[in-house]
């Protein structure tokens, strides 16, 4: 399966982000706690060179807690500030103000020495599609925020969101990058719904997900769908899921695509339980 997806609007958005970077003190990068490696766009590292960096390990409510702790240590070791959150419920977001202050300590100090008081930290919120950028901004900013509208040096129409006197956010569109280093990245992005689904064979993708879940969480599918734990190949398991969940075409023919969609819906919404499909020790060993 070919997992590349880099439509023209993403190239345009990247160029705009490059331009806006000049106005920014801090980059808040939102990633998905179930695939913390593949949900990081490597372009952000070059775009955000010399900026303070904060990673928001979002959708932590859907991820395996022990794995999230491992990822937090991993990113801390790499020099990132990191906050674990559930942007939907707002859990974890309270910590952000103090982490932003820590991450931008030097800038705040520099401003103070120059006699500039009360200039807010300006943060750009970045992330690939579907990681929860809008949800984060809505939850974090809440009703208290004011959209500050156009500002000098900023393209007309751009919206800054003023959270408080200390912090302003700039929202950006979700972007991927032109070429994935290996197919696993595209596959994992497709699992969580960050790729355009319509370009992929859901059935084939479901086999890959079943295979991965069987190796990481043996027995999980059997327990959730009431299928045989001893089921063999992924196509056989998808068939069993279809039978259990009444996924039929006319004439009792099995509707594999419907079963695949059901599986993805359950996985993406956390109905299969807390699942992390990337582990620091495994992801850093993947060959090119
Ligand atoms: P984006 O701007 O980065 O593209 O992502 P967006 O905020 O639109 O979020 C994508 C989906 O992820 C939304 O679900 C949103 O509710 C969900 N989401 C965001 N953050 C979290 C989180 O921390 N935990 C969980 N469990 N879900 C999260 P949706 O199904 O597209 O919309 P809705 O039905 O929730 O409204």
């Amino acid at each position: 399966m070919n997992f590349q997806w880099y439509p023209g609007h993403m190239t345009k958005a990247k160029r705009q982000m490059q331009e806006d970077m000049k106005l920014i003190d801090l980059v808040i990068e939102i990633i998905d706690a179930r695939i913390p490696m593949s949900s990081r766009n490597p372009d952000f590292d070059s775009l955000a060179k010399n900026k303070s960096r904060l990673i928001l390990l979002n959708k932590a409510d859907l991820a395996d807690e022990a794995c999230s702790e491992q990822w937090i240590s991993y990113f801390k070791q790499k020099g990132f500030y990191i906050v674990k959150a559930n942007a939907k419920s707002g859990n974890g977001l309270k910590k952000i103000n103090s982490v932003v202050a820590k991450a931008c300590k030097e800038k705040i100090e520099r401003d103070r020495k120059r006699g500039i008081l009360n200039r807010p930290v300006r943060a750009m919120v970045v992330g690939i599609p579907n990681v929860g950028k809008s949800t984060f901004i809505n939850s974090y900013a809440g009703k208290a925020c004011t959209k500050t509208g156009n500002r000098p040096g900023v393209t007309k129409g751009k919206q800054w969101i003023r959270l408080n006197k200390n912090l302003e956010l700039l929202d950006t569109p979700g972007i991927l990058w032109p070429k994935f280093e290996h197919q696993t990245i595209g596959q994992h992005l497709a699992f969580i719904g960050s790729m355009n689904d319509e370009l992929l064979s859901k059935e084939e993708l479901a086999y890959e997900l079943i295979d991965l879940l069987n190796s990481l969480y043996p027995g999980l599918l059997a327990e959730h769908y009431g299928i045989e734990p001893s089921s063999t190949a992924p196509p056989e398991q998808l068939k069993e899921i279809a039978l259990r969940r009444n996924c039929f075409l006319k004439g009792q023919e099995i509707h594999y695509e419907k079963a695949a969609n059901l599986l993805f819906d359950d996985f993406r919404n956390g109905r299969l339980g807390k699942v992390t499909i990337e582990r620091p020790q495994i992801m850093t060993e993947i060959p090119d």
Side-chain angles (χ1 to χ4, degrees), residues 87-231:
K88 206 168 173 174
S89 71
N91 248 355
L93 299 184
K94 273 196 195 128
K95 277 196 195 142
I96 291 182
N97 285 347
S98 63
V99 179
V100 166
K102 254 190 239 162
C104 298
K105 209 168 115 198
E106 282 176 23
K107 176 248 172 231
I108 295 165
E109 191 56 23
R110 221 172 27 240
D111 277 2
R112 199 184 57 81
K113 280 188 183 150
R114 287 182 191 152
I116 306 168
L117 296 175
N118 300 330
R119 188 172 82 77
V121 166
R122 289 180 181 163
M124 183 187 277
V125 178
V126 303
I128 62 163
N130 210 36
V131 282
K133 291 178 299 304
S134 314
T135 310
F136 162 71
I137 288 178
N138 289 337
S139 271
Y140 186 41
K143 290 194 185 92
C145 79
T146 45
K147 294 202 169 157
T148 57
N150 299 334
R151 301 180 68 90
V154 179
T155 312
K156 202 163 175 260
K158 196 185 311 306
Q159 291 285 309
W160 284 83
I161 299 145
R162 176 176 272 245
L163 268 109
N164 50 49
K165 65 179 179 20
N166 300 321
L167 184 60
E168 289 183 3
L169 298 180
L170 180 62
D171 193 9
T172 65
I175 60 167
L176 291 167
W177 58 109
K179 194 171 186 320
F180 300 137
E181 294 71 11
H182 34 78
Q183 287 288 294
T184 321
I185 295 175
Q187 190 192 68
H188 291 184
L189 291 172
F191 288 164
I192 64 158
S194 286
M195 301 262 303
N196 187 351
D197 270 354
E198 285 160 23
L199 305 174
L200 302 167
S201 154
K202 275 294 193 61
E203 221 175 295
E204 261 181 68
L205 200 62
Y207 299 154
E208 307 283 358
L209 179 62
I210 290 172
D211 207 27
L212 191 59
L213 290 176
N214 285 341
S215 72
L216 293 174
Y217 298 94
L220 181 89
L221 293 172
E223 193 184 324
H224 185 78
Y225 294 108
I227 60 177
E228 285 296 316
S230 57
S231 298

Side-chain angles (χ1 to χ4, degrees), residues 60-72:
D61 55 308
L62 304 177
D64 194 319
E65 275 162 38
C67 296
S68 293
E69 292 312 313
Q70 287 173 16
W71 280 111
I72 288 170

